[in-house]
Amino acid sequence: MIWEIDQPEDRPDGVDALGRPDPAYAAALGLIRAPFGRRSMAYVIDMLVWVVLQLPLWLGALPLLMKLATGSISPYGLVNHPDFVLAAVMAAVSVALSLALTIVQWILQARRGLTIGKGFMGLRSVNVRTLERPGAGPVLLRALIVGAAGIIPVIGTAVILASPTFDSTERGRGFHDRAARMWLVDVKLGLNPYDEKRMRIARKAVKAEPVRERAERPSLATSTRPGTTPEYRPGNRISAGVLGVVRSKDGTPDAGKDAAPAPAAGSAPVIDAAPGVDESRRTPLPDRGTFVPAEPVGGPEAAVAVPTSAPAEAPAPAVAPAPVSPSQPEPAPAPASRIGLRFDTGETVVLSTALLVGRDPDPASTPGAEPTRLTDESRSLSKTHALLVPTRGGLELIDRGSTNGSAVIHAGAETPAVPGVALPAAVGDTVRLGDRLAEIVVL
């Protein structure tokens, strides 16, 4: 039996299962299609450069060739003409320069996506699937299609130049572009796909999924009705066995259903172990009789010899202390939210105070800030990269003159930080430190 293992398909980002590029992905990266006006001007500039290189041929050799074509001189006369050597040299110069131009343009467009005209107009060619360099084969195929269209004078070239307007995906790709799987983008107004650093950051920002915040769990100290003072009303008995008295709002004992009935006059006191229990189930105190003092030793005479003191006054009736209303417990304050940074590696840094971040930040450069080392395998972070200051609902980013810079990405738009100037950022924004990305979250 032969087992077949499906190998994972190596499909680049922004391409569906059928291999078709997604225009929305390229737009999310910040790539903009080349406008038709500048695209046409780039073609005109490339043609003008080619025309300039043909001037030696046209000025030096073309007049002599015209005489041969009209029959003014014979082939023998052409070879022996005094200007033949000069014409041959001028023609060779034009051919050599044209060949050199063709090779240079071919290599530049295959590796850097530009020609002389595209360089002046701020345009670049990329592979429409990978958004990278197109390669030598597609560039050659595209050039052959454009050259073949020129076989039909004027009309063929006009159709090729107008074909980008027929693109149903609205990306401005002509017949020759679609055949070669190429796409022209504007690097003046959009992202330059050949800027590897910016392109890598843009891919990370588009590919990163929003991190789901953890739901805040209820606490025993959290009031179920925020903003209101909880009412203190203890029951008759709690689990610890402590008796409680139900009181009304004004602090006096409540004579409701939970209050124990007052004992009748002359009845035996009872142990109020369970208020509200039936009287028949209460246990009366045992009758120990009346206390009689013992007779002193020595008889009644000894008792007379004992000096008597003045009769003590009857004690004043004890005044019951005023009931004290239990203090209303204040609701526990809700825990204050903290701002943090969740980096692209999954690491989370709490921003409770000003942090000085970098590969090895120098605390002497910013007194009062807490130096925090960040792991960076690509070494895109500077030694002392930036200062992060927490604010209400976000933070302030202050670049410390880093080599690769810092920025704040809000709604897909990146705002670079000027060294020494505070750049505000809110919760949900992304902070870029070199090549590192960190989302501002609430912990």
Side-chain angles (χ1 to χ4, degrees), residues 64 67-68 73-88:
L64 195 58
K67 290 180 181 181
L68 178 63
I73 58 175
S74 63
Y76 178 79
L78 175 66
V79 176
N80 292 281
H81 195 279
D83 296 333
F84 176 75
V85 177
L86 178 61

Side-chain angles (χ1 to χ4, degrees), residues 106-269:
W106 184 21
I107 295 176
L108 282 178
Q109 192 164 5
R111 296 184 60 85
R112 302 299 300 172
L114 61 86
T115 60
I116 296 177
K118 292 183 178 67
F120 275 106
M121 291 292 102
L123 307 178
R124 297 292 186 273
S125 297
V126 295
N127 185 297
V128 72
R129 296 180 74 250
T130 63
L131 302 178
E132 297 175 353
R133 61 186 64 180
V139 171
L140 180 59
L141 176 61
R142 184 175 183 271
L144 292 176
I145 295 175
V146 175
I151 297 177
I152 304 176
V154 181
I155 298 178
T157 304
V159 170
I160 289 295
L161 293 179
S163 61
T165 60
F166 308 146
D167 188 4
S168 59
T169 61
E170 299 183 354
R171 305 180 80 175
R173 299 175 62 214
F175 298 145
H176 52 308
D177 296 324
R178 277 177 273 183
R181 292 187 175 182
M182 293 175 58
W183 183 35
L184 263 68
V185 297
D186 184 2
V187 298
K188 284 188 176 180
L189 301 179
L191 176 65
N192 185 357
Y194 290 91
D195 189 343
E196 297 181 0
K197 174 184 173 183
R198 301 292 182 186
M199 196 68 178
R200 183 168 61 253
I201 294 174
R203 288 184 185 273
K204 286 184 179 180
V206 173
K207 189 176 181 180
E209 298 181 356
V211 180
R212 183 178 299 177
E213 297 293 335
R214 292 178 298 179
E216 188 170 339
R217 297 180 178 178
S219 172
L220 295 176
T222 304
S223 175
T224 57
R225 294 176 295 173
T228 61
T229 302
E231 181 180 1
Y232 178 74
R233 187 178 179 86
N236 292 331
R237 182 184 295 273
I238 60 177
S239 59
V242 181
L243 301 180
V245 178
V246 179
R247 298 180 181 272
S248 61
K249 294 184 178 180
D250 57 358
T252 60
D254 190 359
K257 62 180 181 179
D258 294 336
S267 62

Side-chain angles (χ1 to χ4, degrees), residues 19-87:
R20 296 173 301 187
D22 185 8
Y25 177 77
L29 293 178
L31 297 177
I32 302 176
R33 73 175 188 179
F36 298 129
R38 279 195 281 152
R39 183 170 179 166
S40 301
M41 285 299 301
Y43 179 77
V44 171
I45 292 175
D46 289 334
M47 293 303 299
L48 288 177
V49 174
W50 183 83
V51 168
V52 170
L53 297 183
Q54 308 311 309
L55 290 179
L57 173 64
W58 294 344
L59 297 178
L62 189 59
L64 195 58
L65 294 176
M66 290 297 295
K67 290 180 181 181
L68 178 63
T70 57
S72 299
I73 58 175
S74 63
Y76 178 79
L78 175 66
V79 176
N80 292 281
H81 195 279
D83 296 333
F84 176 75
V85 177
L86 178 61

